Amino acid sequence: MLSTKASCSSHGQDSSYFLGWQVYEKNPFDEVVNPTGIIQMGLAENQLSFDLVESWLRKNPDAMGLKKDGESVFRELALFQDYHGLPAFKNELVEYMAKIRGNKVKFEPKNLVLAAGATSANETLIFCLANPGDALLLPTPYYPAFDRDLKWRTGVEIVPVHCSSSNGFRVTRLALEEAYQRAQKLNLKVKGVLITNPSNPLGTTMTRDELNQLITFAIAKNIHVISDEVFSGTVFDFPGFISIIEAARDRNLESTDVWSRIHIVYSLSKDLGLPGFRVGMIYSKNETVISAATKMSSFGLVSSQTQYLLSNMLANKKFTSKYMKENQKRLKKRKEMLVSGLKKAGIECLKGNAGLFCWVDMRHLLSSNTFEAETELWKKILYEVGLNISPGASCHCTEPGWFRVCFANMSHETLQVAMQRIKDFAERSSCSGIGKSYQQNMSSFRRKLLTSNWVRKLSSSDRDEQER
Amino acid sequence: MVAMSKIATGNGHGENSPYFDGWKAYETNPFHPTERPNGVIQMGLAENQLCFDFFQKWLMKHPEASLCSPEGVRKFKETALFQDYHGMPEFRKAVAKFMGKVRGDRVKFDPDRIVMSGGATGAHEMVTFCLADPGEAFLVPTPYYPGFDRDLRWRTRVELVPVDCESSNNFKITRTALEAAYEQAQAANLRVKGLLITNPSNPLGTILDRETLKSIVSFINEKNIHLIGDEIYSATVFMEPEFVSISEIIEEDIECNRDLIHIVYSLSKDMGLPGFRVGIVYSYNDAVVSCARKMSSFGLVSSQTQHLIASMLSDDDFVESFIVESKERLFKRHKYFTWSLSQVGIGSLQSNAGLFIWMDLRKLLKEKTFKAEMDLWQVIIKEVKLNVSPGSSFHCQEPGWFRVCFANMDDNTVEVALMRIRTFMLKNNEAMVPRSKLCRRSSLKLSLSRRKDDFITSPGIMSPHSPLPTSPLVRART
């Protein structure tokens, strides 16, 4: 009776990514009211810098109160439904996007299309670029909800590009080619490759080399490149962020075909921590895409009330500079706290410089090198340790044992509680023999350490130094 | 150059149609009372601009609604983070209550069945994605809102099959017409999944009577197809007869399969807030609610706006006085407008709702064709300088009807528009009326000079909907 879309599970909500949420919602942690509840570490939100926004709001009540110079602009805003967007807002957005990229690239408002969050922006872009049954290549691991956003209503397929821990999950030309061949064998027409840079869930930025390989691949195969850059403002450490547009421009590709096949998706949900306001956007130099996407944006325009508020906020350059700097500082500090806390529990993370999460290596805690063991471990962490983290399988990671753990959506104190719980869990695991491979790994690690020490002893003539 | 999708490169968005000429004419030369007094007046946009002062007064008294009071700022973080596709409970509760009030509290709406969407535009597309697969079809009575061609078909790839309605019975939706459309779809190998009705109607400005609604409900149950009731103009019913919602009919009809019933709503018309993108899907089908809720991720209402609307619509006094005042203002504007048109021999379909009238210009057509309608339309845009919407853009089966919006301008602009119409009609009449009858013009001049105030104090003159019996236009044709 209903459509196929309504009756199938392509919305992806039967995945563990969403199940963890449901369990959390039944028993959410609260420092005071429910200190033994589940701590939400599966939500990539940025809650670290609201005080800065609130301080701006207090000094600028007109923007929230739908006033301009004390006069009400309610009527104008209430009537404003032009799918080209509020000009002032788009002007500020392109400047902000450029600022995030160190002003190394410039963006034009006429090439920007607004959408109701990155969720809507991604879907709209796919509707513009691919027909039902076409395919997109996506490097793994990737954001679980892409299965819904890119495939559900569009009818487009995703073919994963397998990335492995052996090289830090970097995207290689080989992996891209292999995925492309796989798509061909399945009789799927590849229309483009979608990257998330900075990566969710890895928390890393793509290197120039990676970006160049990707662009070369896109040129060779005559396909689109979609770069989801929603975390671009969360880059807090070296080596810094290179946008796909910058990489392409540095190769002097501006007057070539591929320039109109490069598209960026952005949003204010992660950088500014405003997911509720539903501000997403598509940036493209392709006139057909801009034209079609603009019309499609009718299905999910940004509330004029919100456009007005944020155009005022972003217009304050002092505020945006202060916010960017301070936000990055706080993210770095918070990440370091999580990384060191995990380290104390004998758990390592992939080295990352961006995002609101760590990509955590718990392979040594698996009872076996399988996804069943990963699920078992995930459930243990959810129900016994009381942390909702995201298992790598939900991100389509090809190796079991990796987990995404968010750190920016809670208070400092809550993170400390989480760290303590992990430490206790790790200690329990090593005592009770759960995670036998952890034991084995640790003993082989210790053996290696002893060996190298002995080798050093033999090679060095300085006995004092070795005994330290 | 690698191709884009068929959707992106095709014409499914509908914007290449000749009907956009009117918009283009308006955009290149928009009317302004002082800067561009000879510009084109926009009468093709169904907006409700009559009650903004109401909102402004309320906002001034309630700064916490826009989060800009000291108390409000503390709520900022919670609001900014809220992206739950269930929507804020207080928002859903307030919208459900408002919908009930608009229907005179004759029905109650369950807040848990309220699903958000990106305006009614987003709501329609979302419902279609939930109910129909590519290649399947919906029946839609004509004339209908042109945007449906895009909203229901473009990305969903669902087909629309028109249900022909005629002026001979005031465009009523008959059982015969429904059956004929259903058969037509079958003959074309299209699987019909549902029927979409707009009640109150755009562009007619009329409401469906109880009998028609019951007949529709019986039809969809018999065929086991969905019924989507677009009720976005429900609070614009400014005159008897009273609005009857599909939600009321199903309360009375125990035989009806409620899983087939869905309502699309929005605050864009009733409250005049199109910029805030508040669209609602209300379904009696649990599976549809569940699916639509997940899909609503593609067009959630900004939490900032949810908060504002929740505050506003939770204020019972405000809501009650708004509903009454809005109707009053629409009634006055409609009555004056239709009466003024009738003074120059222009009739319109008798209506009691909406932000527009369905104007009858069949008598002005050179011949009974759609080409003649387009020619007349070009004249209206270029010479009379009014952007009105030709009936063919609404898939009307008979040429000569035009939708004219009256609630998107102030009183002065209304006068300018009416003056232009009068001038045009007089010119037309002079060309048609024999000289001997021109002496009647003096009495005509008198009635033309009647001002709005005169009209309002003596309402019982004549039906505003039929041309004056002494209209030179009528005499010239008989």
Side-chain angles (χ1 to χ4, degrees), chain B residues 163-177:
Chain B
V163 178
D164 292 333
C165 300
E166 298 167 4
S167 62
S168 55
N169 66 348
N170 292 323
F171 300 94
K172 206 171 163 135
I173 303 172
T174 63
R175 186 64 183 249
T176 315

PDB file of all heavy atoms in Angstrom, chain B residues 163-177:
ATOM      1  N   VAL B 163      -8.413  15.266 -12.694  1.00  0.00           N
ATOM      2  CA  VAL B 163      -9.840  14.953 -12.567  1.00  0.00           C
ATOM      3  C   VAL B 163     -10.555  16.205 -13.061  1.00  0.00           C
ATOM      4  O   VAL B 163     -10.493  17.258 -12.422  1.00  0.00           O
ATOM      5  CB  VAL B 163     -10.221  14.678 -11.092  1.00  0.00           C
ATOM      6  CG1 VAL B 163     -11.717  14.410 -10.967  1.00  0.00           C
ATOM      7  CG2 VAL B 163      -9.404  13.537 -10.531  1.00  0.00           C
ATOM      8  N   ASP B 164     -11.223  16.111 -14.226  1.00  0.00           N
ATOM      9  CA  ASP B 164     -11.763  17.323 -14.837  1.00  0.00           C
ATOM     10  C   ASP B 164     -12.995  17.862 -14.122  1.00  0.00           C
ATOM     11  O   ASP B 164     -13.988  17.156 -13.943  1.00  0.00           O
ATOM     12  CB  ASP B 164     -12.097  17.043 -16.311  1.00  0.00           C
ATOM     13  CG  ASP B 164     -10.822  16.820 -17.115  1.00  0.00           C
ATOM     14  OD1 ASP B 164      -9.772  17.363 -16.710  1.00  0.00           O
ATOM     15  OD2 ASP B 164     -10.867  16.085 -18.119  1.00  0.00           O
ATOM     16  N   CYS B 165     -12.912  19.132 -13.758  1.00  0.00           N
ATOM     17  CA  CYS B 165     -14.051  19.800 -13.121  1.00  0.00           C
ATOM     18  C   CYS B 165     -14.447  20.985 -13.998  1.00  0.00           C
ATOM     19  O   CYS B 165     -13.593  21.606 -14.631  1.00  0.00           O
ATOM     20  CB  CYS B 165     -13.674  20.273 -11.725  1.00  0.00           C
ATOM     21  SG  CYS B 165     -13.162  18.902 -10.665  1.00  0.00           S
ATOM     22  N   GLU B 166     -15.758  21.261 -14.029  1.00  0.00           N
ATOM     23  CA  GLU B 166     -16.254  22.266 -14.970  1.00  0.00           C
ATOM     24  C   GLU B 166     -16.980  23.406 -14.299  1.00  0.00           C
ATOM     25  O   GLU B 166     -17.583  23.233 -13.241  1.00  0.00           O
ATOM     26  CB  GLU B 166     -17.234  21.601 -15.939  1.00  0.00           C
ATOM     27  CG  GLU B 166     -16.619  20.521 -16.787  1.00  0.00           C
ATOM     28  CD  GLU B 166     -17.697  19.706 -17.488  1.00  0.00           C
ATOM     29  OE1 GLU B 166     -18.890  20.070 -17.349  1.00  0.00           O
ATOM     30  OE2 GLU B 166     -17.353  18.732 -18.146  1.00  0.00           O
ATOM     31  N   SER B 167     -16.986  24.521 -15.016  1.00  0.00           N
ATOM     32  CA  SER B 167     -17.640  25.698 -14.462  1.00  0.00           C
ATOM     33  C   SER B 167     -19.160  25.518 -14.413  1.00  0.00           C
ATOM     34  O   SER B 167     -19.837  26.154 -13.620  1.00  0.00           O
ATOM     35  CB  SER B 167     -17.311  26.929 -15.294  1.00  0.00           C
ATOM     36  OG  SER B 167     -17.805  26.761 -16.603  1.00  0.00           O
ATOM     37  N   SER B 168     -19.684  24.618 -15.243  1.00  0.00           N
ATOM     38  CA  SER B 168     -21.147  24.450 -15.299  1.00  0.00           C
ATOM     39  C   SER B 168     -21.730  24.069 -13.941  1.00  0.00           C
ATOM     40  O   SER B 168     -22.884  24.359 -13.651  1.00  0.00           O
ATOM     41  CB  SER B 168     -21.506  23.387 -16.332  1.00  0.00           C
ATOM     42  OG  SER B 168     -20.809  22.183 -16.027  1.00  0.00           O
ATOM     43  N   ASN B 169     -20.933  23.430 -13.116  1.00  0.00           N
ATOM     44  CA  ASN B 169     -21.418  23.140 -11.747  1.00  0.00           C
ATOM     45  C   ASN B 169     -20.457  23.704 -10.715  1.00  0.00           C
ATOM     46  O   ASN B 169     -20.225  23.114  -9.658  1.00  0.00           O
ATOM     47  CB  ASN B 169     -21.629  21.633 -11.554  1.00  0.00           C
ATOM     48  CG  ASN B 169     -20.334  20.861 -11.607  1.00  0.00           C
ATOM     49  OD1 ASN B 169     -19.286  21.401 -12.008  1.00  0.00           O
ATOM     50  ND2 ASN B 169     -20.364  19.607 -11.198  1.00  0.00           N
ATOM     51  N   ASN B 170     -19.899  24.860 -11.055  1.00  0.00           N
ATOM     52  CA  ASN B 170     -18.962  25.549 -10.158  1.00  0.00           C
ATOM     53  C   ASN B 170     -17.739  24.708  -9.791  1.00  0.00           C
ATOM     54  O   ASN B 170     -17.256  24.760  -8.663  1.00  0.00           O
ATOM     55  CB  ASN B 170     -19.668  26.020  -8.883  1.00  0.00           C
ATOM     56  CG  ASN B 170     -20.667  27.114  -9.182  1.00  0.00           C
ATOM     57  OD1 ASN B 170     -20.430  27.976 -10.032  1.00  0.00           O
ATOM     58  ND2 ASN B 170     -21.802  27.074  -8.512  1.00  0.00           N
ATOM     59  N   PHE B 171     -17.264  23.928 -10.733  1.00  0.00           N
ATOM     60  CA  PHE B 171     -16.046  23.138 -10.563  1.00  0.00           C
ATOM     61  C   PHE B 171     -16.144  22.122  -9.430  1.00  0.00           C
ATOM     62  O   PHE B 171     -15.149  21.773  -8.805  1.00  0.00           O
ATOM     63  CB  PHE B 171     -14.820  24.051 -10.337  1.00  0.00           C
ATOM     64  CG  PHE B 171     -14.555  24.993 -11.472  1.00  0.00           C
ATOM     65  CD1 PHE B 171     -15.070  26.285 -11.452  1.00  0.00           C
ATOM     66  CD2 PHE B 171     -13.796  24.588 -12.569  1.00  0.00           C
ATOM     67  CE1 PHE B 171     -14.833  27.160 -12.511  1.00  0.00           C
ATOM     68  CE2 PHE B 171     -13.559  25.449 -13.631  1.00  0.00           C
ATOM     69  CZ  PHE B 171     -14.078  26.741 -13.605  1.00  0.00           C
ATOM     70  N   LYS B 172     -17.342  21.634  -9.192  1.00  0.00           N
ATOM     71  CA  LYS B 172     -17.524  20.625  -8.149  1.00  0.00           C
ATOM     72  C   LYS B 172     -16.796  19.350  -8.555  1.00  0.00           C
ATOM     73  O   LYS B 172     -16.684  19.020  -9.745  1.00  0.00           O
ATOM     74  CB  LYS B 172     -19.026  20.341  -8.067  1.00  0.00           C
ATOM     75  CG  LYS B 172     -19.494  19.844  -6.740  1.00  0.00           C
ATOM     76  CD  LYS B 172     -21.022  19.804  -6.715  1.00  0.00           C
ATOM     77  CE  LYS B 172     -21.513  18.935  -5.582  1.00  0.00           C
ATOM     78  NZ  LYS B 172     -22.604  19.531  -4.837  1.00  0.00           N
ATOM     79  N   ILE B 173     -16.315  18.612  -7.553  1.00  0.00           N
ATOM     80  CA  ILE B 173     -15.650  17.328  -7.841  1.00  0.00           C
ATOM     81  C   ILE B 173     -16.739  16.265  -7.800  1.00  0.00           C
ATOM     82  O   ILE B 173     -17.258  15.919  -6.732  1.00  0.00           O
ATOM     83  CB  ILE B 173     -14.575  17.014  -6.787  1.00  0.00           C
ATOM     84  CG1 ILE B 173     -13.534  18.144  -6.713  1.00  0.00           C
ATOM     85  CG2 ILE B 173     -13.869  15.686  -7.114  1.00  0.00           C
ATOM     86  CD1 ILE B 173     -12.555  18.008  -5.560  1.00  0.00           C
ATOM     87  N   THR B 174     -17.088  15.737  -8.976  1.00  0.00           N
ATOM     88  CA  THR B 174     -18.166  14.757  -9.013  1.00  0.00           C
ATOM     89  C   THR B 174     -17.609  13.343  -9.012  1.00  0.00           C
ATOM     90  O   THR B 174     -16.463  13.099  -9.423  1.00  0.00           O
ATOM     91  CB  THR B 174     -19.002  14.935 -10.290  1.00  0.00           C
ATOM     92  OG1 THR B 174     -18.136  14.670 -11.417  1.00  0.00           O
ATOM     93  CG2 THR B 174     -19.565  16.343 -10.393  1.00  0.00           C
ATOM     94  N   ARG B 175     -18.471  12.410  -8.584  1.00  0.00           N
ATOM     95  CA  ARG B 175     -18.080  11.011  -8.581  1.00  0.00           C
ATOM     96  C   ARG B 175     -17.771  10.539  -9.995  1.00  0.00           C
ATOM     97  O   ARG B 175     -16.834   9.774 -10.232  1.00  0.00           O
ATOM     98  CB  ARG B 175     -19.210  10.176  -7.969  1.00  0.00           C
ATOM     99  CG  ARG B 175     -18.889   8.710  -7.771  1.00  0.00           C
ATOM    100  CD  ARG B 175     -17.776   8.500  -6.786  1.00  0.00           C
ATOM    101  NE  ARG B 175     -17.438   7.091  -6.659  1.00  0.00           N
ATOM    102  CZ  ARG B 175     -17.664   6.361  -5.578  1.00  0.00           C
ATOM    103  NH1 ARG B 175     -18.232   6.897  -4.515  1.00  0.00           N
ATOM    104  NH2 ARG B 175     -17.317   5.091  -5.531  1.00  0.00           N
ATOM    105  N   THR B 176     -18.562  11.038 -10.943  1.00  0.00           N
ATOM    106  CA  THR B 176     -18.370  10.699 -12.354  1.00  0.00           C
ATOM    107  C   THR B 176     -16.970  11.093 -12.806  1.00  0.00           C
ATOM    108  O   THR B 176     -16.267  10.318 -13.468  1.00  0.00           O
ATOM    109  CB  THR B 176     -19.401  11.446 -13.225  1.00  0.00           C
ATOM    110  OG1 THR B 176     -20.664  11.328 -12.592  1.00  0.00           O
ATOM    111  CG2 THR B 176     -19.458  10.855 -14.615  1.00  0.00           C
ATOM    112  N   ALA B 177     -16.583  12.311 -12.465  1.00  0.00           N
ATOM    113  CA  ALA B 177     -15.265  12.813 -12.867  1.00  0.00           C
ATOM    114  C   ALA B 177     -14.157  11.985 -12.239  1.00  0.00           C
ATOM    115  O   ALA B 177     -13.151  11.680 -12.888  1.00  0.00           O
ATOM    116  CB  ALA B 177     -15.126  14.279 -12.480  1.00  0.00           C
TER     117      ALA B 177
END
